[in-house]
Amino acid sequence: FDMFFLAFVERLFRPTFRKDDFVLGKKLGEGAFGVVYRVSLAKKSSSNKEGDLVLKKATEYGAVEIWMNERVRRACASSCADFVYGFLENSSKKGGEYWLIWRFEGKSTLADLMQSKEFPYNVETMILGEVQDLPKGIERENRIIQTIMRQILFCLDGLHSTGIVHRDIKPQNIIFSEGSRTFKIIDLGAATDLRVGINYIPKEFLLDPRYAAPEQYIMSTQTPSAPSAPVATALSPVLWQMNLPDRFDIYSTGLIFLQMAFPSLRTDSSLIQFNRQLKRCDYDLVAWRRSLEPRASPDFRRGFELLDLDGGIGWELLTSMVRYKPRKRTSAKAALANPYFDREGLLVLSFMQ
Ligand code: ADP
Ligand code: MG
């Protein structure tokens, strides 16, 4: 009953679509498990504007991704891109393909935005609209980064409170929603829902090594593997408490924070190099900093300066996210209560004066 029944009822009353309803537009992405297009509805009578939807044609994992998106829509809709519909498209010769439809949220991911030399100023106008001609400085950059971090953590808190671990948090999977003027999470293709045992066995081959936490399995290998759904429902809150699988996403989010603070860590190669250095420091950020700071480039020194503002609360937050042991990492909810985010409002006010 409950969740599955509600899902069934909701499904009955929602519009359904099929292949011929969509006109394919530009290709937005192509991964190992699917292709993503911007699409529009073929029916001109509808109120749909041109290309205001996104279609993912997914392979075998599409079924799980549909399930995750349906669950998110019911439990924490604002955390992720608006999911419209998902179905098995069986008409083609090459066998079944899952089609997933979302609302087109906007043209930039955080990865796109971070690639700009202007970052984070290019985001400031997107979040706050036209800003006054304030001096560009470290405090202002910090304020924008705070806002982005708060929005990501807010989305994550929603997912984690629902029992979903994303497992592929990275700038490429964070989209700027032009409608709500906030960042949202996309791509639940590697997500796992521990409360009902969906996709319970970690698909560690799906994990992106650039942003993955050091633990290979987000659940202890001693927990029973692939329990049936009813068993998992009964057990998993306990397992969740024991293993803190949500902290995997927190580690990845910490790496995004790091990349926002240090422009020279924004390329793939520099991030990979950072990961190697951090591993050599036994995943101790303080040790990494100690080894780097004496010979740090001006760019790095500026990053540390940003994190050291207001008594180092940014650095404090960062080091509470990027830690070897999941148990030692902060949760999304606790991170949102971190003093780092208190300063934000004050700074906005001081800017407005
Ligand atoms: P993949 O499995 O290929 O990584 P994603 O779900 O991450 O698939 O989507 C690929 C790309 O498509 C994203 O990086 C983003 O640029 C774009 N995209 C996906 N969903 C949306 C959306 N709802 N609105 C706008 N763009 C999107
Ligand atoms: Mg993706």
Side-chain angles (χ1 to χ4, degrees):
F1 196 71
D2 62 32
M3 221 167 66
F4 293 102
F5 178 72
L6 284 175
F8 172 73
V9 171
E10 198 200 12
R11 193 104 203 192
L12 269 182
F13 291 100
R14 277 199 359 254
T16 56
F17 297 100
R18 44 195 199 90
K19 188 183 181 199
D20 299 334
D21 292 333
F22 302 102
V23 180
L24 265 57
K26 191 180 162 229
K27 193 192 277 188
L28 297 175
E30 178 155 19
F33 304 99
V35 191
V36 179
Y37 302 89
R38 192 166 176 174
V39 300
S40 49
L41 276 182
K43 295 192 203 79
K44 279 287 168 231
S45 59
S46 78
S47 60
N48 264 41
K49 280 185 264 103
E50 194 117 19
D52 65 355
L53 297 173
V54 166
L55 160 70
K56 183 187 269 189
K57 295 184 181 178
T59 56
E60 61 265 39
Y61 299 112
V64 175
E65 199 173 345
I66 291 173
W67 198 95
M68 293 292 165
N69 276 281
E70 300 260 357
R71 177 124 170 75
V72 163
R73 194 187 35 214
R74 289 190 304 277
C76 54
S78 61
S79 287
C80 297
D82 261 359
F83 185 61
V84 177
Y85 191 65
F87 58 99
L88 179 62
E89 206 294 289
N90 245 332
S91 67
S92 72
K93 281 150 261 152
K94 53 183 170 161
E97 215 177 32
Y98 289 94
W99 283 34
L100 292 87
I101 310 288
W102 293 268
R103 199 191 301 273
F104 179 82
E105 296 281 355
K107 48 192 177 332
S108 335
T109 64
L110 182 57
D112 301 326
L113 295 163
M114 277 169 64
Q115 232 140 62
S116 160
K117 275 198 171 60
E118 280 294 301
F119 185 86
Y121 296 109
N122 56 342
V123 174
E124 183 177 42
T125 41
M126 299 171 77
I127 294 174
L128 301 168
E130 277 315 304
V131 281
Q132 300 144 43
D133 202 13
L134 300 161
K136 294 190 175 179
I138 214 149
E139 295 244 346
R140 189 170 154 201
E141 280 162 44
N142 188 41
R143 182 183 62 116
I144 305 162
I145 292 172
Q146 278 172 340
T147 307
I148 301 169
M149 280 301 291
R150 184 171 44 73
Q151 292 181 355
I152 299 172
L153 286 165
F154 174 83
C155 297
L156 267 189
D157 182 32
L159 287 179
H160 293 168
S161 303
T162 305
I164 295 173
V165 184
H166 186 281
R167 297 197 297 184
D168 200 13
I169 294 294
K170 55 185 177 186
Q172 293 80 358
N173 285 339
I174 295 171
I175 190 100
F176 185 77
S177 168
E178 287 165 12
S180 67
R181 286 199 163 183
T182 59
F183 286 95
K184 291 181 177 182
I185 292 169
I186 55 170
D187 199 353
L188 295 163
T192 180
D193 188 329
L194 294 151
R195 296 196 180 171
V196 281
I198 298 286
N199 186 11
Y200 185 84
I201 305 172
K203 290 191 299 230
E204 56 278 358
F205 62 90
L206 278 177
L207 305 181
D208 189 321
R210 293 169 300 174
Y211 292 90
E215 64 269 20
Q216 213 189 343
Y217 298 93
I218 60 167
M219 300 295 278
S220 152
T221 46
Q222 270 151 34
T223 52
S225 61
S228 63
V231 174
T233 308
L235 280 181
S236 57
V238 179
L239 294 181
W240 184 283
Q241 276 306 311
M242 277 168 43
N243 295 291
L244 303 170
D246 56 316
R247 304 304 200 269
F248 189 91
D249 291 343
I250 293 296
Y251 187 95
S252 311
T253 308
L255 291 191
I256 298 175
F257 189 13
L258 190 90
Q259 287 190 300
M260 291 199 285
F262 297 100
S264 44
L265 292 181
R266 287 180 199 157
T267 63
D268 281 349
S269 57
S270 62
L271 182 60
I272 290 164
Q273 198 193 343
F274 164 83
N275 285 333
R276 254 187 257 122
Q277 288 169 353
L278 190 64
K279 193 176 179 185
R280 247 182 271 126
C281 298
D282 292 321
Y283 295 94
D284 181 349
L285 261 187
V286 176
W288 170 77
R289 179 173 181 168
R290 224 183 286 127
S291 74
L292 183 88
E293 218 165 16
R295 55 184 172 81
S297 62
D299 185 69
F300 266 106
R301 264 185 264 129
R302 201 177 144 78
F304 288 124
E305 200 188 312
L306 184 147
L307 294 165
D308 285 343
L309 288 172
D310 307 314
I313 46 179
W315 175 252
E316 217 303 296
L317 175 64
L318 177 65
T319 52
S320 75
M321 300 178 84
V322 181
R323 282 193 184 145
Y324 182 75
K325 284 208 168 101
R327 182 163 294 284
K328 296 268 170 81
R329 292 176 212 145
T330 180
S331 67
K333 208 181 282 309
L336 285 168
N338 189 289
Y340 180 63
F341 297 110
D342 293 348
R343 291 282 304 160
E344 198 189 323
L346 296 175
L347 275 165
V348 171
L349 279 178
S350 69
F351 273 119
M352 286 163 115
Q353 280 164 7

